Amino acid sequence: MTAASTNATAKRGMRLDSDKVLAAACVAIPLIGLTLFFLYPMATVFLRSITTADGSYGFANYTEVLASKGFWRATQNSMAMGVATTIVSVFLGFIIAHGLHRCAFRGKWMIRGVIVLPLLAPSLVQALGLIFLLGRNGLVSRAIGTEVDIYGFWGLLIANTLYALPQAVMIIGASLVLLDARTYEAAEVMGAKPSRQFRDLTLPAIFFALLNSAFVVFIITITDFGNAAVIGGDYSVLATEIYTQVIGLRNFNMGAVVGIMLLLPTVISYVIERQSMKRQQGRHATNVQRFVPSFYAKRDIPMAAACFAVVAMILAVIGVVIYASFVKLWPYNQSLTFKHFDITLAGGYDSLWITIAISLGAAAGGTFLIFLMALGLRRLSGGISQMVQVLAAMPAAVPGIVLGLAYILTFNSTSTPLYLLYGTAALIGIINFYHYHTQAFLTVMTGFRQFPMALEEAATTLGAGLGRTAVNVIAPFVAPMLVAVFFFLFMRSMVTLSAVVFLTTAKLDVAAVTIMRLDDAGLTSQAAAFSTCVMAVVCLALGGMKLAIILMTWAPQTSKEG
Amino acid sequence: MYLTVKNVTKRYGTFTALDDVSISIEQGEFVCLLGPSGCGKTTLLRLIAGLTDIDEGQVLLEDEVLSDVPARNRGFGIVFQSYSLFPSMTVAENIGYGLKIRNVPAAQINARVAELLEIVKLPHLANKFPGQLSGGQQQRIALARAIAVDPRVLLLDEPLSALDAKVRSSLRDEIRQLQRTLQIPTLMVTHDQEEALALADKIICMNHGVVVQAGTPEDLYYRPATRFVADFMGVSNLIPTEMVRREMPALLSQRPDAPDAQFDACIRPEKIQINADPRGSATIRSAGFLGNLTRYKLDSVFGEMMVEVHGPQRLTEGQKVSLQISPSDCTWVVNDSYEVPQ
Ligand SMILES: Nc1ncnc2c1ncn2[C@@H]1O[C@H](COP(=O)(O)OP(=O)(O)OP(=O)(O)O)[C@@H](O)[C@H]1O
Ligand SMILES: [Mg+2]
């Protein structure tokens, strides 16, 4: 053996080692993050829930909470609200998804565009809009001359439905897209009428999607805080109950108990949802022939009418907020003005700028960490990788308000150096990232799964180490996915309220909380103006993302020609 | 005439997918629709099934005009290339679905399903779901499902092309046998000429949205009408007229009276006899062993030629040979690229 080849062998051995170390580090760093900022706070909130007033452990808090009338009423209300919203949202979501994918009519782009609007605004915007429309001084109330009492069950039901509807439409729509046109043609040739095809083919195929969307909507509803805080009125739900216990009564242990109670249904729903997702995925081949509906008046005219009615409602609720932010004196003087954009609350627009900074940080840091994690997972053995994936997918089961509570219990305690983070913008960025960790993680993993192993192996055979492969080969391939995740994290951080509501201080506010405070202070028009600004930022970001993705998918082709 | 397609035209925007197409299928006949990818085979099949609207022309079943009959009332059976079983129904439910729609009593459906499962040799799969079956099994079930209702016409769109070679040839034979026993008029789309030759009573060869030639497999193979058909139906030697006139004028006896460039001679490789002859005009360039026959490539006065001879290789590379072609084995085919002068 010559000296040169010995040298090469030695080098290869080292390369292998350094790759392993790098892969381990890729997983270890995000894993430490998950432990510190997810597992540890969740353990803390659980411990606090079983810490009694005298400092010993026991279930006294639970018996106390279970004995309190307020808790039972909030639970009952939450469940009633959850069930009602689920029924309405899944029904409407099905109509819209079916209209989009299985019916033929014009203007679908409008439905697609409007249906996602509620996701681009803080959840309390729906509530604000409803108040502008149906509240005491609402447009509709004044037009028909009777006073509707919008605060309470019905208002909250409508607001929650509008908020949950996009998710329902997306989940049901995704399953409708997967139905192969050929099975319908086969049924047609065999003599099945459209109604029969619907019953025998469509319904069984989307059953799991309906179930799945029901769970998702249910979780969103019982954990949402913004709508309940603004339009719930006396109708207390678990999310507002936690807020009252912690912020109003400074009763942290009781808050922790309610938080753990709220965790139960969401964890159960989440587990069932994941299971049904797995079944759904296993069943489908990739080679799907898209169904192209042709016009059928009896079906399409009523469906189009229903879809546009719902869309009009969403547009009205969000549009009225934007409109109201320009109106001089709602509802008496409808002349237009910019004066509400002059925020009088202490701090003014500071919170908007800080929120943008926090969101950019959460998005950049989060995307990077998740990329590292997905990269490392590719090189890890099955067992460990499985465990990490389960852990990474867990945060979605935790309601934002519970995570927020867990953070304040963890980081507001001087017993660990983590206390240094308390009251900083960094912590808000961190909680936003871990709050939406699951969705971001799953998106990137999907991208990685599509990346052909052969390409990676080719790079390795050519002598590229993990680091080089990641930068030169993998990153460009998953780039569109990373951009999507970046903007997802950015947009959610811009509008989320429930997770951060506990972490803001007199000196540090975020946009959604400012809107809530403005509304609380009776400055409804300024709340609307502030909401308009937030929506504008988010829409710009969305436009930026679309542009970035278009440029990315388009650039390689043009550069090849040049 | 059982099923007739009369002067049918179909356009997608400015693109004409079918241009004045007329075909017919007799009672009990097995017809193959053959042509290269994108020539409009699937489009024609879908028009007959009623799954796509016709722009011009009509489809007739005996004397009934089908244009206004929706697909579901035509009483046809269809099998697609793949993925057309209902994923949420078991195999038995899939097969019985057409009968269920026709409100046949459950007991009768069960009996029929059992019978069909026997016919396609998969009785043990009755309660499985499509996702649990192999490609070949899925296509057998799709076939059983299509014939369960005693269809008036059976339409098959490349039912075998997604399968591997072995499964394909066994299923091919089964389809043929089944069709013979049941006597269902059948139209099968394929782009595999061997499949068409093996199965069909009649082959309809299409190109660029028009029917180029229709006839028995022998017709299309030995008497192709155009260069395109000759090429598509297997290996052939295509020789320009002036070369034939110069080297083997005897072959011109069957030639239609037309300009030189309009017709070329077409001679199948197995119709040429070669004999070792030191003074021969052709030289063996290479030989390939194809099992029961040997294929020689020759350099000849006609340029490169292909000859097939039964039995093992007898001639060696570089050997001189003489060619013998009988005028009856020389077919004159239209040169597709030739444009008739105005
Ligand atoms: N819905 C459609 N819209 C526009 N063009 C179409 C449509 N369907 C088919 N075509 C075009 O019509 C032509 C014929 O298509 P068809 O599917 O009939 O081909 P084919 O002969 O079945 O080909 P293959 O062997 O690849 O299946 C193709 O050029 C195709 O692009
Ligand atoms: Mg086809």
Side-chain angles (χ1 to χ4, degrees), chain A residues 179-180 182-194 196-197 200-201 204-205 283-287 289, chain B residues 46 49 51 70-72 75-78 80 82-89 94-95 97-98 100-102 145:
Chain A
L179 300 182
D180 198 303
R182 281 164 293 199
T183 56
Y184 284 86
E185 289 176 346
E188 176 80 19
V189 172
M190 290 170 83
K193 288 204 198 73
R196 179 116 210 183
Q197 293 174 20
D200 293 343
L201 301 183
R283 274 223 316 240
H284 283 288
T286 43
N287 192 350
Q289 185 141 349
Chain B
R46 293 172 60 85
L51 292 169
R72 64 174 167 278
F76 290 3
I78 196 163
F80 296 100
S82 55
Y83 304 113
S84 67
L85 293 180
F86 308 131
S88 53
M89 297 183 200
N94 261 288
I95 298 177
Y97 189 64
K100 196 171 143 196
I101 289 169
R102 288 161 177 74
R145 185 179 69 176

Side-chain angles (χ1 to χ4, degrees), chain B residues 12 15 17 36-44 158 191:
Chain B
Y12 290 112
F15 174 77
S37 187
C39 72
K41 306 180 298 288
T42 298
T43 307
L44 181 54
E158 308 205 28
H191 56 238

Side-chain angles (χ1 to χ4, degrees), chain A residues 225-308:
Chain A
F225 173 72
N227 281 328
V230 174
I231 209 171
D234 293 337
Y235 194 80
S236 74
V237 292
L238 283 172
T240 48
E241 181 71 12
I242 297 179
Y243 188 74
T244 316
Q245 288 287 344
V246 173
I247 300 294
L249 308 173
R250 310 300 295 171
N251 193 343
F252 288 97
N253 293 357
M254 297 305 259
V257 172
V258 183
I260 294 292
M261 300 292 224
L262 187 55
L263 203 54
L264 279 182
T266 58
V267 168
I268 293 171
S269 308
Y270 178 71
V271 170
I272 296 177
E273 184 212 320
R274 294 277 300 181
Q275 291 308 320
S276 70
M277 285 258 287
K278 266 188 207 143
R279 289 193 57 167
Q280 183 89 3
Q281 280 162 359
R283 274 223 316 240
H284 283 288
T286 43
N287 192 350
V288 173
Q289 185 141 349
R290 287 285 298 275
F291 176 85
V292 182
S294 49
F295 183 73
Y296 174 55
K298 259 202 224 151
R299 172 196 67 194
D300 292 348
I301 293 172
M303 284 297 278
C307 290
F308 281 110

Side-chain angles (χ1 to χ4, degrees), chain A residues 89-103 105 108 111-112 115 165-177 198 202 206 209-210 213 293 303 306-307 310:
Chain A
S89 303
V90 172
F91 178 70
L92 292 180
F94 170 74
I95 299 241
I96 293 178
H98 200 264
L100 283 177
H101 296 288
R102 298 250 131 204
C103 298
F105 54 82
K108 285 186 183 173
I111 296 175
R112 279 182 228 272
I115 201 76
L165 197 55
Q167 314 265 359
V169 172
M170 280 192 254
I171 296 170
I172 300 170
S175 78
L176 283 173
V177 166
F198 175 76
T202 311
I206 66 167
L210 289 177
S213 68
M303 284 297 278
C307 290
V310 175

Side-chain angles (χ1 to χ4, degrees), chain A residues 48-372:
Chain A
R48 282 299 284 267
S49 77
I50 55 169
T51 306
T52 49
D54 57 15
S56 63
Y57 291 129
F59 287 93
N61 294 327
Y62 283 84
T63 43
E64 194 180 325
V65 165
L66 289 177
S68 96
K69 269 211 190 102
F71 170 76
W72 283 113
R73 204 179 42 151
T75 306
Q76 225 170 22
N77 287 350
S78 269
M79 293 301 138
M81 180 53 58
V83 170
T85 309
T86 303
I87 292 171
V88 180
S89 303
V90 172
F91 178 70
L92 292 180
F94 170 74
I95 299 241
I96 293 178
H98 200 264
L100 283 177
H101 296 288
R102 298 250 131 204
C103 298
F105 54 82
R106 278 157 193 273
K108 285 186 183 173
W109 59 271
M110 208 155 94
I111 296 175
R112 279 182 228 272
V114 172
I115 201 76
V116 297
L117 285 183
L119 291 180
L120 307 183
S123 72
L124 38 70
V125 165
Q126 278 77 241
L128 268 184
L130 280 176
I131 292 169
F132 282 122
L133 283 177
L134 297 166
R136 249 152 252 141
N137 288 324
L139 287 181
V140 177
S141 327
R142 284 168 62 86
I144 58 175
T146 54
E147 202 169 283
V148 204
D149 188 14
I150 193 68
Y151 293 91
F153 181 84
W154 293 106
L156 191 50
L157 174 63
I158 303 175
N160 279 333
T161 300
L162 294 184
Y163 188 55
L165 197 55
Q167 314 265 359
V169 172
M170 280 192 254
I171 296 170
I172 300 170
S175 78
L176 283 173
V177 166
L178 284 178
L179 300 182
D180 198 303
R182 281 164 293 199
T183 56
Y184 284 86
E185 289 176 346
E188 176 80 19
V189 172
M190 290 170 83
K193 288 204 198 73
S195 57
R196 179 116 210 183
Q197 293 174 20
F198 175 76
R199 188 159 46 108
D200 293 343
L201 301 183
T202 311
L203 271 189
I206 66 167
F207 177 76
F208 278 105
L210 289 177
L211 200 67
N212 194 357
S213 68
F215 282 122
V216 169
V217 169
F218 186 77
I219 297 182
I220 293 176
T221 309
I222 63 171
T223 61
D224 176 72
F225 173 72
N227 281 328
V230 174
I231 209 171
D234 293 337
Y235 194 80
S236 74
V237 292
L238 283 172
T240 48
E241 181 71 12
I242 297 179
Y243 188 74
T244 316
Q245 288 287 344
V246 173
I247 300 294
L249 308 173
R250 310 300 295 171
N251 193 343
F252 288 97
N253 293 357
M254 297 305 259
V257 172
V258 183
I260 294 292
M261 300 292 224
L262 187 55
L263 203 54
L264 279 182
T266 58
V267 168
I268 293 171
S269 308
Y270 178 71
V271 170
I272 296 177
E273 184 212 320
R274 294 277 300 181
Q275 291 308 320
S276 70
M277 285 258 287
K278 266 188 207 143
R279 289 193 57 167
Q280 183 89 3
Q281 280 162 359
R283 274 223 316 240
H284 283 288
T286 43
N287 192 350
V288 173
Q289 185 141 349
R290 287 285 298 275
F291 176 85
V292 182
S294 49
F295 183 73
Y296 174 55
K298 259 202 224 151
R299 172 196 67 194
D300 292 348
I301 293 172
M303 284 297 278
C307 290
F308 281 110
V310 175
V311 160
M313 184 134 156
I314 298 175
L315 214 51
V317 167
I318 292 181
V320 78
V321 173
I322 299 173
Y323 175 62
S325 67
F326 292 103
V327 162
K328 203 166 235 161
L329 183 60
W330 189 270
Y332 309 104
N333 183 346
Q334 300 272 353
S335 55
L336 300 181
T337 170
F338 280 109
K339 75 169 188 182
H340 303 302
F341 285 84
D342 193 8
I343 304 295
T344 52
L345 205 67
Y349 280 109
D350 287 356
S351 70
L352 182 60
W353 308 131
I354 289 184
T355 309
I356 294 176
I358 289 174
S359 304
L360 284 174
T367 308
F368 180 65
L369 281 179
I370 285 187
F371 176 72
L372 281 191

